[in-house]
Every structure is written in structure tokens, then in C-alpha cells.
Amino acid sequence: MRQTIRLLTGASAASLLLALPAIAQEETGSELRQTTVTVTGSLIQGTPEDAALPVDVLTAGDLKLEGNPSITELIRNLGVSSGVDGQTNQFSSNGLEGTSNINLRGLGPGRTLVLLNGRRQVFHPYSVGEQAQLFVDTNMIPTAAVGRIEVLKDGAAAVYGSDAIAGVVNFITRDDLEGLEVGGSFSQFDGSDGDYELSAAYGLQGEAWNWVTSVGYQKRSEVALREKDWAVRSWEDNPVGGWSSLSNPGRFVPLGIVGGAVAPIGNLNTEAGCDDVGGFVNPYALNRCYFQFTQYDNLVEEEERYQVYSEYNRTFGNGVDMHLEALYGYSDVPTWKTSPSYPPQELATQVVPATNPGFQQYIADNPGDFPAGTIAALFIGRSFGWGGFPGTGYNAQEGYRTYESYRLSGDLSGEFKNGINWDTALTWHKTEGERVTNDTYILGFTAALNGYGVCTDPATGFDPATGTQPWTAGYTGTLSAGAGGCEWYNPFSNGIPANGVTGAPNPTYVAGLENTATLANWLTDGVGSVVTSDLMVFDAAISGESSVQAQGGAVGYALGVQVRREGYEVNPNQITDLTVSPGPGGTGPFSFLAGTTPADEDQTIYAIFGELQIPLYDDVNVQVAMRYEDYGGDVGSTFDPKVAVKWQATDNLALRGSAQTSFKGPTLNQLTGVGTTLQFLAPTSAFKAVDQYGNAALNPESAFSFNLGALYEQGGFNASVDYYNFDFTDPIIVEDQASIVNAAIAAISAGELDNPILSRITFQDPLNPAAADIARVRTNVTNGPDIKTSGVDLRAQNVWNLSDGMDFTIGGEATYIIEYDVADFAIEGVVIPGGDRVGQFNRSNFSRSLPQWKGNLFANLAMGDHNFRGVIRHIDSYDDERGTPNLQGAFTGGPSKIDSMTTLDLFYNWEAPYGFDFGLSVVNVTDEDPPLAYFDVSYDPYTHNPFGRTFKISLKKKFGPGE
């Protein structure tokens, strides 16, 4: 089938309104050429475009009309998408900076199957922290290579296997390019130095072959949070906006000799220099010195990314088609910014002797703060804070993340003499990631407080991780505190030259008392690991028309097998490896971040599947599919059927529906190992380490889902409505640390110190557990509560042909979530209540934020070679279920409101002479700030656009045929 249509639709609405199956397209001026191909969601070649599948199609031409958004921006704008990572440096990203994922229906990025040309892609090696879900990193796909994107908003496990519970997103590359195409874009918003994107694609078209290669380069500029006045707020505006009660300078408890033992001899007091270096003496929290770490963090990290994709297609003389493709991607976050130091989990070792020079100077300047007889002080704070990290201009501390991905895939397909189509493919895909984040050595910091920093004693082999302590009784080495190359660590403000954020001089600074960069680098080291995820998949299938005739025609069929091997390898560096460096407490040698253990796991999954396309009547089409998949071992096997029906009730109205079961076995990272995330614990007013343990006894998760819909088309008007419903059993989650902490606090208040829930928490004083003294929390990957969610997708548009070469289109799309109901479940016998999480921020549980509805309205005017477009995007208001933080930082009362957000985007595109294509866009024309959310960065990074008014200009040039 060949036909021509006007290029009128756009990514956010119009292309989605059609809800048509996939079509191969090639730009020819302002028109597109279409040919029927296999639709995502079916394995039968030549699946008709009236198949019973809710598939949305976004073409390269569609994306051009909206300024060629990044894949992250594109997915975030879809109504069916909810809770997406990747746009900014989110405090809940847990080291995923530089990546992007897709989260259909808010069910988790690990439950959306992301394909490239219909073939599986490897998981990114690092998981989403709060659900331990591995996902496909869409940042590795070069946009210049993408011809269209197909979004199947329906479960498809029967066709594709695991991970397709929430739906499928299939990136289809372009193979029709002839000649050279180069392009670039530049975008900028207030506070940014600008983002760049360069691309090039070259194609050759032969009589029976083609070869197309695309390359991409992207550069994102660093943007500090303090560039946005709404992001770094005062305590009164947002008491949970990046504030920590563990500061530097911090608080001190005087210690002396009482009854022959060292004991407190004075009250806890705040260091007098807190205000001088930028700290906040908090009048709402006993006048303690507070540290706002978001002053040092970024909204956007510097990123640099390279991608290369090449494919070769050939039809041999015997009719056999060959497809070969190769992909390489490299992503680098070279200077990931973080707090100058993290708060310690244990304070008992942070004792400063009175012989410390900084301590002596402080007593001299503030004689009333420490009573006579003080021999030492317990330091309650962090190693570096408002003074910044020495050696970096007294600014933030830096880490890095790098990811490298390789993919090779090839398939052969053809037709037997009897008319049966055959297809076989082999795909190999591997991604390696490395993350390094600095932290402070526990024993090294203790040593430096006592004057033994930097130096190493050849007699005892002292080092910060495992050495003997020269200040303890029985030491026979040669080291002396503060002498012979040994350095003191000074925790007092008199060693801080200036405020690390404002640069203002510190009036109490005394030259010579500052901590050196040498000492800082000796005290800290990189907690790091290299994690590799690899995938090998063999696919084979046959399809064709059977001899069975239904009233509407011959029954089509497909049969196939799939074998896939998944590998997962964790290689921590020596100081992160718990089998080598367990540290003094068994969680590693560092004061905040836990170590991890090496792992090398793999699993092989076998599947057989079948599918029927039954034209039951001329106006009724039925799809039936089934799949048997075997994980082996304790996970077991599953049989999953699917049925879908479309009835063309009238020439204008069609009804469709589908139902299926889905199955997903645990991924390798969920079964073993331990990882650590940094999460804010309200009772401590600080970030704490939350250790996440794998679980070899996990059950697979399963789901039953169904979809009911209608499509209407008459003249220039078309619309669709779909109702979806998902019912999950045994979803794999990570236990909520907030639920564990709240249950533990309740047990302490009730005097139930033998409650098993307390075993999940490490307290600074285990014999006297208190909410404010939580050091770290243990959570497990587990099978969580059942989840039921349902909602409605709406789309409509109308096209008016105003004159020859001029068309006007208006339309809109919206998704309304009816329910997202989570059942009750138990942790250590404590029942954690569930409930409906629609319309909530969900910071107190494992779900992502779920506004009840979001939608887009657009208007498009096509005038020959010029196109003008406006899009209004709206996100509904929703509640913070935790309440409102009071001036003591505790959430109280009923839910607070996160306001709705409405933005206007404008786009202009000109298909200029001589093969030039020019684009200009303004996103968020009215420069709307994201609404306040009680979170570290004062907005919801999974939902709202934080950048403000953004300008973008793009230019593309075609050389060769079709210029």
C-alpha cells in the first residue's frame, strides 16, 4: 500500500492521536511515503494497520515539528509516562546521572521493554535505587539514527517475554537515507552556558542493498542549584530543602575525667564560628549549626556523550534479506558534584583532644565555651562542610560516572517456496559502567583528629584503613602528633579561610590552622566499582498465512523460539570490596558509604511462543498469542496468553480490546549483593546510608492486564479513548526505609526494645536507641504488596485544509489515572499500610509521584515550507501525603499541596532551499518555575521541568539526492 499524507502531526499530541500501527516513512519535501510493515506487538509480517493494538507512532518528522527534543524530554512529555529519571541531577537518582529511562504508567522503568529494531537491549549496569530495577539507558541511542518510535501501551509478555508488563517502546532506525546529512543545535536557559548537539548521517542506496551510518555528540553544561532562586530556599521556606544537622563547623560536647573515666563535663554547644562561614544557627532546633548541602550541588551535571550507529541491509538473489547493525555509545559525567563531605554514621570516634592546635585557638578565642578540666571534645559534625573541600578552591567534592556500550546484531530473513516467512537473529549487547564517589576513612579521620594525618609509620605500617593507632596505649612506633610530616585535622571554623559558596572572608580564620589539600586527599578516597551487564539473544521465527480460512480471510500465524543469556558482574575497587576491606564495623572503611561484594552472575532463559492473526469477519480482527518461558532454578517457568480484538463497528467507529497475563523473573542484581543509597531521614535531619540487600528467595512477579478502547474518524477529525487496567501480584520492590524508620520510632516510644524491626537499624548507641541517633538502615529487596492501577487515555484532533499548501490542526491528549491501589504488607511483622497513591508525591513509599492527570493541547499551522506550532502542557496538582514540615523539620498535619504546572511552548520550522532545515523553539515561554515540593531540591524532579524559559536553535543540511 502506498499513499501520501500531509506532515501535520507532532510528537506530543497529533502523532499519538492517530493510534495507528507502525509505518515506514521517508520525507519527500513536506510529504511522507508509507509502506506497511510489522507492527510492534505482533511477530507476523504484514500485520495490517487496523490491528487490534494500542500503538502510538512518533516519526522523525513529528519530532522535528517540536524542536527535535531529546529522548528524555520526549518521553517525559507523554501522558502515559510517569516518574522518569534523567533530566537533572536528582537527589533520588542514586548515581544514575548521565542516564535516561522510560517509565510507562508509573509502574517502574524495569517493567517497560525497550527495543531497538524489534530486538532486545541490554540492561544498564546500575539500578534505580528505590526499586532495584535495572533498565535500558535510552541515552545510548543516537537521535540522528531514529526514523520513528513506536509505543505499545499494552502488556506484551506473550509476544516479547519478560519486562513487557507495562508496555513496549520500539526505536526503529532509518534505512532510506541517501547522501550526507549534518545537523546541530544549541539550547540555553537562565543559569546555563548552553547545551550542544551535533549529528551526522551518511547513507548509500544500491539496487539491492543500503548502508546508513549515524554519529551523534551531545554536551550538557553544568548548572548549579544556586543558579535557581526557587531551588535553594531558606529554612523557613523549606525545612527539608537540603539541610543537615551535621555541619562543619559543628557542635561539641566537652569531655573530662569524672570518677577516673572520660565523660561529658559540659553541655552540648554550637561552635561560635557557624555564621561566619555560612552556616545557619537554627533557632528552631536548639540553635544548632545547620549545613545546607544543596549550595554545593548541581541541577544539571556536565555531561558529554558520543554515539555511533551503523546498519547494512542487503537482499540476495535468492530473496534472502540480511540486516546487520552495530552501535557504540560512551557517556561521561566527569565532574559530578557533591557535598564537600558526607555526614558520619558513627560519632563516637570523633573525639578532638585539647592538644589539637585548632582546639587550643578556639578555647583562647572563646574561653567560656569549654569548662576548666576539658581534655577533649566530642565533635558532632562532618569532616568538610561550609569551608568546602581543600584543593578544589574550597568548593564541592567531585566524583565521576562513565558508561560504555557495545552492540552487534544481525538477522537473516526470507520466504520458503511454500510462502512461509522465516526470520532468525543473533544479538549481543554489553554495557560497562564505572562510578566513583569520595568518602572519608573512619580510622583516618580519627587519626587526623589526634594529629596523625598523612604520615605513615614504617615501624607499624599505619594507614587510614587498617593501621594501628599511635595515640593509644602501648604504641611503640616513632610518630609524634603534628610532627615529622604528621598533620592535625582542625574541625573548628578558625581553619576555614572563607565561605565556600559566597567567597566572603572568615573573620575568625587564623593562617596556618587550615586543613591542607594533602590532608583532605589522604582522609578521603573513591568508593567505586565497575559493573558490567551483558546480553546474548538468539531469536528464530516463522510466519505466514495458513490454509485455514476465516470469513474475513486467511488466518496468519507466527511460531518462534528465543534463548537469551543475561550476565551481571560487579567488580568493586580494593577499598570498596568488603571481602578485602571490611572496615572496623564490617560495612567498609568509610564513614558514610558502605562497601560492596564482588559478583559474577548469569542466567539463561528459554522461550517458545506462537501467535495467530484471525480475520474473523471482514470487520472483526482477532490476535491470539501465547508464550512459555523458563528461567530455570528457583524462579521457574510461566505460560502467558494474550488475546486482542478489534471490531470496525461502522465506517467511522472501531472498538478494540485486549487481555493478557505477564511474568517477570527477578534480575540478577535483585538476587544477591548489597548496595548503598543516600536518603534523607527526617528524624535525624540528615542524609543517612540505606543499605539494600539482595534476596535469593524472591518470587517472580506477575500481572493480569486488559485494555478497552474506541477509535472514531470522520473527515478531518479523529479521536481515541482507551481504558487500561493492571493487576500485579508479588511485584519486586525495595522496602521503604521511611516505613522501617517510622515503625522503629513507634516501637521505641512504646518501650518495645525487643521489636524485630529495630534489627533493621544501626544506632550510634545500640543500648540506648533514639530516633535522632540513627546511623544507617537496612532494607531488603522483596516481593511487595499487590498493586492495582487503571486509567483512561484520551486523544482527539481535527485538520482543516484552508487552501492549497495551508493546513491548520488543533488537538489534544490526556491521561487520567483512576486508581493506583497498593495493598498492605509487613516488614518484620510490622504491617505497613497501603492505599490509593494516585494524586500523591509518594516520597514516603516505593512509588513515584502520580499526578492524577496530565495533558497537552496543540495548534499547528503548515504553510508550504513553513510550520508554526504551539503546545500547552498541563500537569495536575497533587498532594504530599507526608503533610507539611513545621519549623522543627517534622511533617505534621494533613497532606500539603503541590501546585499544578502549565507551560506554553512555541516552535517554528522552515524547510529552506538548498537542503537546509531551520528550527527555532521557545520552551516554557512564560518562564514558569516548578511548583514547590518539600524535597531537597524544592521541586519534584520526576515530574516538572525545572529549567524555565529555554531557547533552542537548530540547523540541518542535506547533501546529495533529495537536497
Side-chain angles (χ1 to χ4, degrees), residues 743-821:
I745 293 173
I748 293 171
S749 299
E752 301 170 356
L753 300 185
D754 58 347
N755 193 310
I757 199 70
L758 296 180
S759 67
R760 297 297 196 91
I761 296 180
T762 300
F763 294 94
Q764 294 175 24
D765 183 358
L767 298 179
N768 298 287
D773 295 330
I774 294 173
R776 60 195 315 131
V777 181
R778 170 174 175 153
T779 62
N780 292 333
V781 180
T782 188
N783 291 107
D786 292 350
I787 300 172
K788 294 182 179 181
T789 181
S790 62
V792 177
D793 298 326
L794 298 168
R795 293 160 176 39
Q797 75 164 11
N798 197 79
V799 181
W800 291 270
N801 183 251
L802 303 180
S803 64
D804 186 26
M806 181 180 294
D807 297 289
F808 180 66
T809 307
I810 60 172
E813 60 96 13
T815 293
Y816 181 87
I817 306 175
I818 297 173
E819 65 173 344
Y820 196 102
D821 193 61

Side-chain angles (χ1 to χ4, degrees), residues 633-669:
D634 295 332
V635 177
S637 60
T638 179
F639 176 79
D640 291 296
K642 175 174 183 173
V643 61
V645 180
K646 182 179 179 184
W647 172 36
Q648 192 69 43
T650 69
D651 290 341
N652 307 111
L653 177 65
L655 304 177
R656 66 185 177 193
S658 63
Q660 57 273 312
T661 64
S662 300
F663 176 94
K664 188 177 189 302
T667 51
L668 294 169
N669 68 302

Side-chain angles (χ1 to χ4, degrees), residues 449-480:
L449 285 172
N450 286 274
Y452 295 98
V454 180
C455 53
T456 301
D457 188 347
T460 63
F462 171 78
D463 67 60
T466 60
T468 56
Q469 290 75 45
W471 62 93
T472 57
Y475 174 71
T476 59
T478 60
L479 296 180
S480 298

Side-chain angles (χ1 to χ4, degrees), residues 588-901:
F590 297 99
S591 64
F592 187 74
L593 300 175
T596 190
T597 54
D600 189 359
E601 307 287 341
D602 65 79
Q603 63 181 356
T604 302
I605 303 162
Y606 302 89
I608 58 174
F609 52 86
E611 180 188 352
L612 297 175
Q613 287 281 355
I614 308 170
L616 197 60
Y617 300 101
D618 290 339
D619 53 6
V620 178
N621 186 277
V622 178
Q623 178 198 35
V624 177
M626 58 206 72
R627 186 183 190 94
Y628 173 81
E629 195 155 288
D630 186 4
Y631 277 74
D634 295 332
V635 177
S637 60
T638 179
F639 176 79
D640 291 296
K642 175 174 183 173
V643 61
V645 180
K646 182 179 179 184
W647 172 36
Q648 192 69 43
T650 69
D651 290 341
N652 307 111
L653 177 65
L655 304 177
R656 66 185 177 193
S658 63
Q660 57 273 312
T661 64
S662 300
F663 176 94
K664 188 177 189 302
T667 51
L668 294 169
N669 68 302
Q670 295 172 336
L671 294 169
T672 186
V674 58
T676 301
T677 60
L678 314 180
Q679 300 184 36
F680 185 81
L681 270 61
T684 66
S685 297
F687 268 69
K688 296 293 182 180
V690 177
D691 301 320
Q692 175 186 298
Y693 285 78
N695 182 356
L698 287 173
N699 295 320
E701 59 185 17
S702 60
F704 171 75
S705 60
F706 66 91
N707 185 92
L708 300 172
L711 302 96
Y712 183 82
E713 183 175 0
Q714 184 169 15
F717 176 78
N718 62 69
S720 69
V721 58
D722 284 284
Y723 168 81
Y724 67 87
N725 188 293
F726 292 84
D727 191 348
F728 280 91
T729 301
D730 287 333
I732 297 173
I733 65 166
V734 176
E735 296 166 334
D736 302 330
Q737 58 85 4
S739 298
I740 294 173
V741 170
N742 292 338
I745 293 173
I748 293 171
S749 299
E752 301 170 356
L753 300 185
D754 58 347
N755 193 310
I757 199 70
L758 296 180
S759 67
R760 297 297 196 91
I761 296 180
T762 300
F763 294 94
Q764 294 175 24
D765 183 358
L767 298 179
N768 298 287
D773 295 330
I774 294 173
R776 60 195 315 131
V777 181
R778 170 174 175 153
T779 62
N780 292 333
V781 180
T782 188
N783 291 107
D786 292 350
I787 300 172
K788 294 182 179 181
T789 181
S790 62
V792 177
D793 298 326
L794 298 168
R795 293 160 176 39
Q797 75 164 11
N798 197 79
V799 181
W800 291 270
N801 183 251
L802 303 180
S803 64
D804 186 26
M806 181 180 294
D807 297 289
F808 180 66
T809 307
I810 60 172
E813 60 96 13
T815 293
Y816 181 87
I817 306 175
I818 297 173
E819 65 173 344
Y820 196 102
D821 193 61
V822 179
D824 297 346
F825 77 117
I827 302 176
E828 302 290 353
V830 176
V831 175
I832 308 299
D836 191 354
R837 293 178 178 175
V838 174
Q840 291 188 174
F841 192 19
N842 292 319
R843 291 308 307 163
S844 62
N845 55 65
F846 62 82
S847 302
R848 290 286 177 89
S849 48
L850 290 168
Q852 186 141 47
W853 72 277
K854 58 190 291 191
N856 305 316
L857 294 174
F858 80 97
N860 195 95
L861 177 64
M863 300 174 58
D865 295 331
H866 302 271
N867 198 89
F868 303 88
R869 187 176 189 82
V871 182
I872 296 175
R873 309 187 194 278
H874 179 81
I875 300 173
D876 191 22
S877 62
Y878 49 105
D879 291 336
D880 188 332
E881 73 284 354
R882 299 170 298 173
T884 303
N886 59 25
L887 290 177
Q888 285 71 47
F891 282 89
T892 60
S896 59
K897 185 178 181 181
I898 299 173
D899 291 333
S900 63
M901 186 176 185

Side-chain angles (χ1 to χ4, degrees), residues 344-370:
Q345 298 300 320
E346 284 287 345
L347 296 174
T349 59
Q350 298 198 155
V351 176
V352 191
T355 52
N356 185 300
F359 198 173
Q360 292 177 344
Q361 182 67 49
Y362 183 82
I363 292 175
D365 294 338
N366 304 274
D369 282 0
F370 289 90

